[in-house]
Amino acid sequence: MATIGDVARVAGVSRSTASYALSGKRAISADVRGRVEAAVRELGYTPNAGARALATSQTMVIGLLAQFLEDEFAPAMLQYMLGVSNTARELGYDILLSTEEDGTRALRRMTDSRMIDGVVLLNVAEHDERLPILRAAPQPGALVGLPADCTGVDVFDLDFEEAGRLMVDHLHRLGHRELILVSQPEHVVERGGAYVWRLQNAAEEAARVRGVMLHAVFGAARQPEIGGELNAVLEAYPDATGLLLNNEAAAAALPTVLHERGLTAPRDLSVVGRYSDEFARTFSLPYSSIESAPDRLGGMTVRQLVRRIEGDAGPAEPHVVRFVSPELVDRGSTGAPPARA
Amino acid sequence: MATIGDVARVAGVSRSTASYALSGKRAISADVRGRVEAAVRELGYTPNAGARALATSQTMVIGLLAQFLEDEFAPAMLQYMLGVSNTARELGYDILLSTEEDGTRALRRMTDSRMIDGVVLLNVAEHDERLPILRAAPQPGALVGLPADCTGVDVFDLDFEEAGRLMVDHLHRLGHRELILVSQPEHVVERGGAYVWRLQNAAEEAARVRGVMLHAVFGAARQPEIGGELNAVLEAYPDATGLLLNNEAAAAALPTVLHERGLTAPRDLSVVGRYSDEFARTFSLPYSSIESAPDRLGGMTVRQLVRRIEGDAGPAEPHVVRFVSPELVDRGSTGAPPARA
DNA sequence: TCCTCCGTGCGAACCGGTTCGACAGTAGCG
DNA sequence: CGCTACTGTCGAACCGGTTCGCACGGAGGA
């Protein structure tokens, strides 16, 4: 494998001159630059990443910590990963991926050994145990998901409060007065998945204000449990005319459930979910939904992280906490409630 | 950040001694080793990955090339990624992920710059343009998916021929005599997705031998197209009593389609898919299916790759091409064909 | 008593880049 | 004509590990 020494020898210059010719950090005559570039092409030279990292303390690699927990919905996470990965590549960074269950170990390994210039944490819990480690690390970090304490990190998330209000308002305007909200498993909440109650609390508040009855329940993240639970809740609240889903698995399971019960949306039941358009297309979900914009969120997160890595953010520029406004994508699954029997 | 020099100073030894004490590659007295280990703990020392890579030409990182093409089904790919990632971690390796559309560029970057010790290629096409680059690289590579030319790489894949036979045999034994096979989009085949016709050809041959009529069609990988196509094909072959799916999107779309048509499996139609159990659970697919075992395949691939990286495989140990035998997971979606009207 | 051998530890070189300081040559200017 | 300033290049040091060769001291054998 060719080194910069080989390039220098072929071009008839010193190693330092070859380096400067390639980096452009000092003025180099056109003649010499040409010879160096020719040598690079001739030898097929590519700089050794380890050596460069050692010399510059920059790896051009971003760590991506994604935990695939048993009770969360894996394909939803993929969308965020792709948003992060693709944007990182655009900005010249590669992705070191960890799917380890023990995120703290992975994070410590990556930061301590200096494999990465910065790190993105997905699916951040309210009191995420990775955060103390991240704050102690020399590399900057950016999160998708809102923890209780945001000091020292940049944070991006969907505005789940607004999403909850939006769902309720939308159905209220159409005339619905009794709704069901199916959230993630309670276990997710206990583990600190704050977005669950952020949406739920806001929805309940909006319902109270509008005089709408809202039945909030937790749902499993898996078949066949979630299917049974959907059936049960539809039976428990027969007068409910609107169904709000903050649970991807529930959305994926709903077509079958409605089929079994002989129901059609929006004729018999209006349905609003919270997931990405990509998700809806992939799983052929015909329900209107709050766009969760994982690709956009992932992209924003990486962009801010790279700004910090490259110091474009002033050395002490305050950390940001930014919420993406939810938008309702109309897929025709909501309408006026059915006339009462 | 502490370096090995700091450790050596605190322990009162030379850098080389500290290194040997930690690696165990030379005899070191218990006394000195104890002092070095204490210094490591005191300073929180972790070796710098770049420096180590430079010195040893080993990065303990495996490249993972996953292309998310518009006309393939993203969540299915995730399963393979997780299989690879988790097994790699078990073996002490980290994963450098590329989701770049242009896999050749990513592969060249990773190998040329020596960021990785080996690479796993997912979703390999028959004449995959990444293969020539991989063969020219100094690092070993392992594939998931069967290319036309397997020289110089280790290859793992599901036995799609056997899968095709198994699907047809299973329904034939139950009494079915007219079947429909929905494959991936023709575009996937054109691009070299050999597994499509590997399964299809074997299914057609088995059907011929058994005297079963088999209608083979391509299906889109997206909504709403695939839904329309499923409807169309069910209408075109009203006497078909069995449906074979080698297309994840079709499987995901089928519940809605059957609902619309008022059909129930297996009463009106027997259905067999080809996807993973994880996939079935996640998307609440109630159809029996050939287990595609992505986690197992991903794991096998990494294990073999690591053997090669670490030279446990003899220097010239021949490369392997290994097929996983398909197994049918019964979810109760097949039965005797309905009595003819 | 002397030589050899083994167990331990050290010094120095090396991996392949980047970057600082020095310096020769030339141009510009008074 | 001499001084300064600038341009372009080089040599050397450095990043943080690993590893080879060597030296030292004590034990064992002849």
Side-chain angles (χ1 to χ4, degrees):
Chain A
M1 210 70 190
T3 73
I4 202 169
D6 301 329
V7 170
R9 185 158 6 87
V10 169
V13 299
S14 73
R15 295 201 306 151
S16 57
T17 301
S19 176
Y20 283 124
L22 292 175
S23 71
K25 294 190 180 175
R26 278 199 185 173
I28 293 289
S29 69
D31 169 40
V32 167
R33 183 169 34 250
R35 295 210 312 273
V36 169
E37 282 164 0
V40 165
R41 277 191 301 277
E42 180 187 334
L43 298 172
Y45 166 75
T46 308
N48 178 304
R52 177 172 279 176
L54 183 56
T56 62
S57 322
Q58 280 218 20
T59 62
M60 300 306 282
V61 173
I62 288 174
L64 175 56
L65 265 72
Q67 300 166 304
F68 286 82
L69 302 162
E70 187 57 27
D71 56 358
E72 293 201 80
F73 196 72
M77 184 91 78
L78 175 60
Q79 316 269 340
Y80 292 93
M81 288 173 49
L82 290 178
V84 168
S85 169
N86 292 332
T87 303
R89 188 64 247 150
E90 266 176 42
L91 300 174
Y93 286 77
D94 277 299
I95 289 293
L96 196 69
L97 173 69
S98 161
T99 58
E100 216 166 341
E101 317 87 277
D102 185 351
T104 62
R105 254 205 359 210
L107 181 55
R108 211 186 310 259
R109 186 176 61 249
M110 286 184 184
T111 55
D112 285 359
S113 68
R114 296 228 138 62
M115 311 175 79
I116 56 169
D117 293 338
V119 62
V120 172
L121 265 49
L122 293 186
N123 202 5
V124 174
E126 197 176 9
H127 298 283
D128 202 298
E129 51 181 352
R130 299 172 294 183
L131 281 179
I133 298 173
L134 179 54
R135 292 205 185 88
Q139 298 97 337
L143 320 183
V144 179
L146 177 66
D149 178 0
C150 293
T151 57
V153 290
D154 292 306
V155 178
F156 297 85
D157 204 0
L158 183 69
D159 188 337
F160 281 92
E161 277 92 356
E162 185 59 28
R165 284 189 289 269
L166 195 53
M167 285 174 152
V168 170
D169 281 5
H170 177 70
L171 291 187
H172 173 259
R173 263 198 301 275
L174 289 170
H176 296 260
R177 292 299 175 264
E178 183 172 350
L179 307 175
I180 301 170
L181 167 62
V182 178
S183 295
Q184 304 279 55
E186 187 162 16
H187 189 219
V188 171
V189 179
E190 287 163 4
R191 212 182 38 233
Y195 67 98
V196 175
W197 55 255
R198 279 161 57 209
L199 186 148
Q200 179 171 326
N201 286 359
E204 284 175 334
E205 172 65 14
R208 206 183 49 71
V209 168
R210 306 254 180 292
V212 170
M213 188 179 305
L214 178 70
H215 309 288
V217 303
F218 298 109
R222 290 276 172 185
Q223 275 295 110
E225 293 80 9
I226 183 63
E229 290 170 1
L230 285 171
N231 266 307
V233 76
L234 288 174
E235 237 147 67
Y237 305 114
D239 293 337
T241 58
L243 184 58
L244 312 180
L245 304 175
N246 185 23
N247 178 325
E248 287 95 344
L254 191 59
T256 304
V257 170
L258 293 186
H259 178 197
E260 286 167 12
R261 306 185 66 80
L263 298 177
T264 302
R267 198 191 57 200
D268 309 303
L269 188 71
S270 284
V271 179
V272 182
R274 196 269 315 148
Y275 44 75
S276 72
D277 186 57
E278 176 74 16
F279 186 82
R281 297 217 318 284
T282 306
F283 301 114
S284 59
L285 299 182
Y287 314 118
S288 300
S289 74
I290 303 283
E291 171 63 41
S292 59
D295 43 358
R296 212 176 119 217
L297 265 168
M300 290 171 66
T301 308
V302 170
R303 266 177 235 287
Q304 173 67 12
L305 180 62
V306 169
R307 284 194 59 211
R308 237 173 242 291
I309 289 172
E310 302 187 344
D312 297 349
E317 178 170 317
H319 288 86
V320 313
V321 178
R322 195 160 298 153
F323 295 104
V324 168
S325 298
E327 283 177 34
L328 186 69
V329 179
D330 188 354
R331 295 194 185 85
S333 67
T334 64
R340 293 297 298 273
Chain B
M1 209 70 190
T3 73
I4 200 169
D6 301 329
V7 171
R9 186 159 3 86
V10 169
V13 298
S14 73
R15 294 202 305 150
S16 56
T17 300
S19 176
Y20 284 123
L22 292 175
S23 71
K25 294 190 181 175
R26 277 200 188 174
I28 294 288
S29 68
D31 168 41
V32 168
R33 182 168 37 249
R35 296 211 312 274
V36 170
E37 281 164 2
V40 164
R41 277 192 301 277
E42 180 187 336
L43 298 171
Y45 166 75
T46 307
N48 178 305
R52 177 171 279 177
L54 183 56
T56 62
S57 323
Q58 280 218 24
T59 61
M60 300 305 284
V61 173
I62 288 174
L64 175 57
L65 265 72
Q67 301 167 304
F68 287 82
L69 302 162
E70 187 56 28
D71 55 0
E72 292 199 80
F73 196 73
M77 184 90 79
L78 175 60
Q79 316 267 344
Y80 293 92
M81 290 174 47
L82 290 179
V84 168
S85 169
N86 292 334
T87 302
R89 189 63 255 167
E90 266 176 40
L91 300 175
Y93 286 78
D94 277 298
I95 289 292
L96 196 68
L97 172 70
S98 162
T99 58
E100 216 167 341
E101 317 89 276
D102 185 350
T104 64
R105 252 202 3 208
L107 181 54
R108 213 186 307 260
R109 186 176 62 249
M110 286 184 185
T111 56
D112 285 1
S113 68
R114 295 235 144 52
M115 311 174 80
I116 56 169
D117 293 338
V119 63
V120 171
L121 266 50
L122 293 186
N123 203 5
V124 173
E126 196 175 9
H127 298 282
D128 201 296
E129 51 181 352
R130 298 171 295 183
L131 280 179
I133 298 173
L134 179 53
R135 293 205 185 89
Q139 298 97 336
L143 320 182
V144 178
L146 177 66
D149 178 1
C150 293
T151 59
V153 290
D154 291 306
V155 178
F156 298 84
D157 204 0
L158 184 69
D159 188 338
F160 280 93
E161 277 91 357
E162 185 58 28
R165 283 190 289 270
L166 195 54
M167 286 173 152
V168 170
D169 281 5
H170 178 69
L171 291 188
H172 172 259
R173 263 199 300 276
L174 289 169
H176 296 260
R177 294 298 176 262
E178 183 172 350
L179 307 174
I180 301 171
L181 167 62
V182 178
S183 295
Q184 303 279 54
E186 187 161 16
H187 189 219
V188 171
V189 179
E190 287 163 3
R191 212 183 37 235
Y195 67 98
V196 175
W197 56 255
R198 278 162 57 208
L199 187 148
Q200 180 171 325
N201 287 359
E204 284 176 335
E205 171 65 13
R208 206 183 49 71
V209 168
R210 308 255 179 290
V212 170
M213 188 179 306
L214 179 70
H215 308 288
V217 302
F218 299 109
R222 289 276 172 186
Q223 278 292 109
E225 293 81 7
I226 183 63
E229 291 169 0
L230 285 171
N231 267 305
V233 76
L234 288 174
E235 237 148 68
Y237 306 113
D239 293 336
T241 58
L243 184 59
L244 313 179
L245 303 175
N246 184 22
N247 179 323
E248 285 96 344
L254 191 60
T256 304
V257 171
L258 293 186
H259 179 199
E260 286 168 13
R261 307 185 66 80
L263 299 178
T264 301
R267 200 191 57 202
D268 310 304
L269 189 71
S270 285
V271 179
V272 182
R274 195 272 312 149
Y275 43 75
S276 72
D277 185 57
E278 175 74 18
F279 187 83
R281 295 217 319 284
T282 306
F283 300 115
S284 59
L285 299 182
Y287 314 119
S288 299
S289 74
I290 303 284
E291 172 63 41
S292 58
D295 43 359
R296 214 176 116 214
L297 266 167
M300 290 171 65
T301 309
V302 169
R303 266 178 235 285
Q304 172 67 11
L305 180 63
V306 169
R307 285 195 58 210
R308 238 173 239 295
I309 289 173
E310 302 186 345
D312 297 347
E317 177 169 317
H319 288 86
V320 312
V321 178
R322 195 160 298 154
F323 296 104
V324 168
S325 298
E327 283 176 35
L328 186 68
V329 179
D330 188 355
R331 296 194 187 82
S333 67
T334 64
R340 294 295 302 273

